[in-house]
Amino acid sequence: MSEQALRLIGVGAAIRAVDLEIDSAARTDAKVLITGESGVGKEVIARLVHQRSRRARAQLVTVNCAAIPDNLLESAIFGHVRGSFTDAHRDRQGLMEVAHGGTIFLDEIGEMSLRMQALLLRFLETGEIQRVGADRVEARVDVRVIAATNRQLLERVASKDFREDLYYRLNVIHIPVPPLRERREDIPAFLDHFLRAYAERYGTAPPTLAPDAFALLVAYDWPGNVRELKNVIERLILRFAGGEIGIADLPPELHRPARVAAPSTSVADALYDRMVTSGQSFWDVVHEPFMARDLTRADLRTILRRGLSQTGGNYKVLVDLFNMPPSDYRRFLGFLRKHGCYMRMPRGVSGDWAR
Ligand SMILES: Nc1ncnc2c1ncn2[C@@H]1O[C@H](COP(=O)(O)OP(=O)(O)OP(=O)(O)O)[C@@H](O)[C@H]1O
Ligand SMILES: [Mg+2]
């Protein structure tokens, strides 16, 4: 599990598509926004973009925006001059300068305060660094920016907790990473990889999995995604006494019934999730079946209402939420008008309007 061995595990179409996105992102300097639930592999993806890019020999600097208090984040990123605050005994370079020639990875960007968002936006527009307490611009730096979040950033844009202009600046290449339960075809590859890796680390022979244990591992919902799977395997290896891992050896949470007790999802909900969670385009997922009459107008309206309630009624943001380029805006509205599905969200109504 060393740095050199970093590779994107998974065999399914979804993760292979992510791999191709990484390749094309690595060929440019464009900003990348990686989204997905906790533990899906966002950091792995950011590192791969850097490693495969022409910047690979320079540094990848990671900033966890959620872990650093807001008053320290500015000086951590942009540096400070001596005397600018009590503990600033000497001038200090910020991480943007450290990353010069390389990449900065702004993790948990959704947690950034509005004040920091404004400072970041200014940097993205000018490429200029101003250290805290400095009265002039320090330096221009050449840094590639990758950001990640497990938040629904568009919801934060709609609630005005995240700046829309910053969102569009960061979202040049968007890599949405589906949760593990939506790409179960990858689970065997992860099991195989982590069983071998931990067996090697702890000096045992890689165990085998009994068929019923294997089936349960594949059927489980993995709310903590790959990170949870990796931890489960590590614990299994630590307790492993040779032979085969049986179903009784698996931790109790895997035995609890899956959360399928939730109401079965409707066609509209399933298609909505394919766009918003799995990153597929409105044209493929909704427009095509609608034109082929496999999807009713009522379904189309339900999907639109749900989307509009996310975007606060904003169609421009909806185009983005449904994974269409901004240039499709007119075509999208034309399609909705033609089929009598263009609607305005009533003023002052939020969330439950979608019901
Ligand atoms: N496709 C993958 N190939 C190899 N390892 C992976 C893959 N996806 C995830 N992992 C491993 O799973 C763990 C979690 O991944 P990572 O830290 O990248 O998740 P994350 O999306 O950044 O999570 P969080 O939002 O909680 O920060 C890491 O140990 C990582 O090595
Ligand atoms: Mg992470």
Side-chain angles (χ1 to χ4, degrees), residues 309-329:
S309 76
Q310 291 290 302
T311 68
N314 185 330
Y315 275 90
K316 199 176 114 195
V317 182
L318 188 68
V319 165
D320 190 61
L321 180 69
F322 287 175
N323 304 303
M324 293 175 272
S327 54
D328 282 358
Y329 178 72

Side-chain angles (χ1 to χ4, degrees), residues 7-9 38-44 150 190 226-227 230:
R7 68 187 175 94
L8 197 66
I9 294 166
S38 193
V40 288
K42 297 186 293 298
E43 183 157 0
V44 175
N150 55 21
F190 280 116
V226 180
R227 181 177 297 112
K230 185 174 164 180

Side-chain angles (χ1 to χ4, degrees), residues 117 157 162-169 314 316-317:
Q117 291 175 35
V157 169
F162 201 85
R163 294 178 64 124
E164 189 175 357
D165 45 6
L166 178 59
Y167 173 77
Y168 285 112
R169 278 238 167 226
N314 185 330
K316 199 176 114 195
V317 182

Side-chain angles (χ1 to χ4, degrees), residues 54-343:
R54 66 175 177 85
R55 295 170 178 270
R57 253 170 286 163
Q59 281 214 55
L60 170 73
V61 175
T62 296
V63 186
N64 185 335
C65 303
I68 305 177
D70 189 58
N71 58 339
L72 299 181
L73 193 57
E74 180 182 358
S75 100
I77 294 181
F78 298 113
H80 61 245
V81 296
R82 186 177 156 210
S84 57
F85 51 91
T86 324
D87 293 326
H89 301 302
R90 49 193 169 95
D91 288 8
R92 216 187 106 193
Q93 211 182 28
L95 294 170
M96 277 299 177
E97 287 174 70
V98 175
H100 182 58
T103 306
I104 194 152
F105 175 43
L106 300 171
D107 203 359
E108 317 277 4
I109 188 96
E111 313 307 310
M112 214 181 232
S113 71
L114 285 166
R115 194 184 69 88
M116 271 310 296
Q117 291 175 35
L119 293 171
L120 178 62
L121 188 66
R122 189 182 68 189
F123 166 74
L124 296 178
E125 277 165 359
T126 63
E128 291 172 351
I129 297 292
Q130 189 159 3
R131 292 184 180 175
V132 175
D135 44 22
R136 58 182 176 77
V137 166
E138 182 65 29
R140 290 184 65 91
V141 291
D142 163 34
V143 175
R144 200 259 171 97
V145 176
I146 302 179
T149 181
N150 55 21
R151 294 264 203 166
Q152 295 289 345
L153 263 195
L154 282 169
E155 278 176 25
R156 309 223 0 117
V157 169
S159 64
K160 304 254 186 291
D161 293 307
F162 201 85
R163 294 178 64 124
E164 189 175 357
D165 45 6
L166 178 59
Y167 173 77
Y168 285 112
R169 278 238 167 226
L170 294 172
N171 189 18
V172 179
I173 297 177
H174 181 198
I175 308 187
V177 194
L180 195 53
R181 64 186 169 280
E182 286 178 15
R183 46 182 168 115
R184 291 185 197 279
E185 66 277 15
D186 294 339
I187 293 177
F190 280 116
L191 293 173
D192 184 60
H193 173 79
F194 291 122
L195 282 169
R196 283 171 200 276
Y198 283 115
E200 190 181 325
R201 176 179 300 182
Y202 295 112
T204 64
T208 52
L209 290 166
D212 53 356
F214 176 80
L216 195 58
L217 287 161
V218 173
Y220 178 59
D221 258 354
W222 300 109
N225 293 295
V226 180
R227 181 177 297 112
E228 182 185 8
L229 182 146
K230 185 174 164 180
N231 291 341
V232 164
I233 299 299
E234 182 171 19
R235 277 184 281 143
L236 284 173
I237 296 278
L238 282 172
R239 290 203 330 248
F240 177 61
E244 192 180 63
I245 293 175
I247 199 160
D249 299 318
L250 300 182
E253 65 268 22
L254 270 83
H255 294 279
R256 265 176 235 131
R259 290 171 302 168
V260 285
S264 65
T265 48
S266 67
V267 177
D269 283 343
L271 297 183
Y272 183 87
D273 288 343
R274 280 174 62 189
M275 292 187 289
V276 175
T277 314
S278 308
Q280 291 177 271
S281 144
F282 174 85
W283 301 118
D284 298 335
V285 170
V286 178
H287 180 263
E288 200 180 290
F290 180 81
M291 296 313 279
R293 296 176 190 278
D294 289 335
L295 189 71
T296 66
R297 198 144 44 145
D299 286 333
L300 175 58
R301 288 211 178 101
T302 305
I303 293 167
L304 292 168
R305 268 199 295 272
R306 198 171 154 194
L308 286 166
S309 76
Q310 291 290 302
T311 68
N314 185 330
Y315 275 90
K316 199 176 114 195
V317 182
L318 188 68
V319 165
D320 190 61
L321 180 69
F322 287 175
N323 304 303
M324 293 175 272
S327 54
D328 282 358
Y329 178 72
R330 287 173 64 106
R331 182 181 162 210
F332 177 60
L333 286 198
F335 163 72
L336 299 184
R337 287 211 180 88
K338 180 164 175 208
H339 297 280
C341 290
Y342 178 72
M343 44 197 162

